[in-house]
């Protein structure tokens, strides 16, 4: 998967390109600061719980002699501090426009993943054999059945009964933080989601207000060179409005970024 798409509203696009572009003077690279939202504030109410609830059940079933203190230690391992940037494999998708692209009055931003990954390491999760750069990794979401490797269950159990064991807490937490966020409810399968998972080790996140909720987020810098195209949503039909959006994109991103138009016949 070389290209992935971020659907958003026109208002968010404006704020991103007007306020969130910065220059790294040391390298001469321009970046766009995207917002990675805390996993507890996403749309899917089962985020992380699908995996962590099953992991807790499997560890407790592995041995029924865990005491209350050890069970509390197990549960604390599953309190994730992960932040998410959501992308889709779908370039022009009605459900994505409705759900995330301003109900058609929005855009999607095409990213060349190979332009992002030198800065944010991409890898495939395989339980404990992981390497990360800056705690950020790209994963494809999985839907439906969850299969938790028995070696993970054993290592988590060993830690719960002996937190001083050689396989340390940080490595276990790192594994859980990268596995739990990729499992989503079956109802979201049509979104074809990929996501950057940012495991935050800083002191304090930033906050934003949206739809009656205050949400924590962290900034996720993406090189501008990774943006290869922007598609204008199907409900933006006024020629004057389209020309203003085009000019804004050109002024902020340059002429090399392709501007496309949704082909979906949708009135909104």
């Amino acid at each position: 998967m070389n290209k992935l798409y971020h659907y958003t509203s026109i208002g968010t696009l404006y704020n991103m390109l007007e306020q969130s572009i910065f220059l790294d003077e040391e390298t001469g690279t321009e970046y766009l600061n995207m917002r990675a939202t805390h996993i507890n504030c996403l749309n899917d109410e089962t985020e992380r719980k699908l995996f962590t609830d099953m992991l807790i059940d499997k560890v407790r079933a592995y041995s029924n002699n865990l005491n209350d203190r050890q069970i509390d230690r197990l549960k604390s391992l599953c309190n994730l501090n992960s932040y998410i940037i959501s992308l889709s494999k779908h370039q022009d998708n009605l459900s994505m426009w409705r759900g995330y692209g301003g109900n058609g009055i929005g855009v999607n931003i095409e990213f060349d993943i190979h332009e992002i990954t030198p800065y944010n390491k991409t890898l495939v999760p395989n339980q404990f054999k992981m390497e990360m750069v800056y705690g950020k990794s790209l994963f494809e979401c999985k839907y439906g059945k969850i299969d938790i490797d028995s070696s993970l269950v054993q290592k988590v159990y060993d830690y719960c009964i002996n937190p001083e064991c050689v396989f340390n807490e940080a490595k276990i937490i790192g594994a859980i933080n990268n596995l739990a966020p990729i499992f989503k409810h079956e109802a979201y399968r049509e979104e074809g989601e990929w996501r950057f998972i940012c495991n935050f080790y800083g002191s304090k996140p930033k906050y934003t207000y949206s739809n009656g909720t205050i949400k924590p987020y962290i900034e996720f810098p993406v090189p501008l060179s990774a943006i290869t195209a922007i598609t204008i949503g199907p409900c933006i039909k006024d020629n004057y409005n389209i020309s203003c959006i085009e000019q804004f994109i050109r002024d902020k991103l340059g002429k090399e970024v392709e501007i496309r138009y949704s082909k979906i016949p949708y009135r909104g």
Side-chain angles (χ1 to χ4, degrees):
M1 185 66 61
N2 296 330
K3 302 292 177 66
L4 293 172
Y5 305 88
H6 181 72
Y7 285 76
T8 192
S9 68
I10 287 292
T12 300
L13 175 74
Y14 171 80
N15 289 331
M16 290 169 68
L17 299 189
E18 184 69 22
Q19 302 174 12
S20 299
I21 294 175
F22 70 95
L23 174 67
D24 182 345
E25 295 184 357
E26 183 175 338
T27 64
T29 301
E30 283 191 297
Y31 290 90
L32 172 66
N33 257 340
M34 297 185 69
R35 291 183 177 182
T37 302
H38 195 280
I39 192 168
N40 291 342
C41 300
L42 302 179
N43 289 345
D44 184 352
E45 295 177 348
T46 65
E47 289 281 1
R48 77 178 175 79
K49 289 178 61 64
L50 289 175
F51 181 89
T52 57
D53 286 357
M54 179 174 286
L55 177 62
I56 290 171
D57 289 344
K58 283 185 173 290
V59 172
R60 297 183 71 169
Y62 185 80
S63 175
N64 59 7
N65 64 353
L66 291 178
N67 59 38
D68 290 344
R69 185 175 181 180
Q70 291 164 343
I71 291 173
D72 287 343
R73 189 177 295 137
L74 169 62
K75 291 180 179 178
S76 70
L77 286 174
C78 296
N79 289 330
L80 305 187
N81 196 28
S82 299
Y83 290 77
I84 306 299
I85 293 276
S86 294
L87 305 168
S88 174
K89 66 181 181 181
H90 301 305
Q91 190 273 325
D92 191 14
N93 180 273
L94 181 56
S95 292
M96 295 301 295
W97 286 120
R98 285 172 169 166
Y100 304 99
N103 194 29
I105 308 175
V107 299
N108 73 42
I109 305 170
E110 179 183 87
F111 291 100
D112 183 343
I113 297 307
H114 294 303
E115 289 290 320
I116 300 178
T117 52
Y119 305 90
N120 304 283
K121 182 75 172 180
T122 299
L123 43 89
V124 177
N126 60 347
Q127 304 296 342
F128 286 89
K129 297 178 181 178
M130 296 184 177
E131 296 178 352
M132 293 186 296
V133 175
Y134 308 123
K136 303 170 185 176
S137 303
L138 177 66
F139 297 108
E140 181 178 14
C141 289
K142 300 182 182 299
Y143 308 88
K145 183 180 178 181
I146 300 175
D147 184 20
I148 299 179
D149 192 281
S150 60
S151 66
L152 174 58
V153 174
Q154 180 179 347
K155 289 180 174 71
V156 171
Y157 171 78
D158 290 343
Y159 172 78
C160 289
I161 63 173
N162 179 19
E164 303 301 323
C165 66
V166 65
F167 202 88
N168 61 56
E169 179 183 18
K171 206 164 187 177
I172 293 174
I173 291 175
I176 295 173
N177 278 348
N178 282 286
L179 288 168
I182 69 174
F183 292 97
K184 290 177 63 74
H185 192 280
E186 177 68 30
Y188 291 84
R189 180 183 291 273
E190 67 177 356
E191 294 182 357
E193 183 177 354
W194 287 65
R195 51 178 44 173
F196 275 104
I197 302 170
C198 313
N199 295 319
F200 183 56
Y201 306 113
S203 56
K204 292 182 179 180
K206 296 184 177 182
Y207 291 87
T208 186
Y209 176 81
S210 175
N211 298 324
T213 304
I214 298 175
K215 300 179 180 180
Y217 73 91
I218 61 174
E219 292 179 333
F220 182 94
V222 174
L224 283 189
S225 60
I227 300 176
T228 52
I230 292 181
T231 299
I232 296 175
C235 295
I236 302 176
K237 304 178 187 294
D238 179 78
N239 288 335
Y240 175 73
N241 194 9
I242 290 173
S243 67
C244 290
I245 294 170
E246 291 174 340
Q247 181 177 348
F248 176 67
I249 293 171
R250 297 291 187 213
D251 286 348
K252 296 299 180 180
L253 298 179
K255 295 182 179 180
E256 63 273 12
V257 173
E258 180 182 359
I259 297 178
R260 301 172 181 156
Y261 311 92
S262 173
K263 298 180 180 178
I264 296 175
Y266 178 54
R267 288 195 178 95

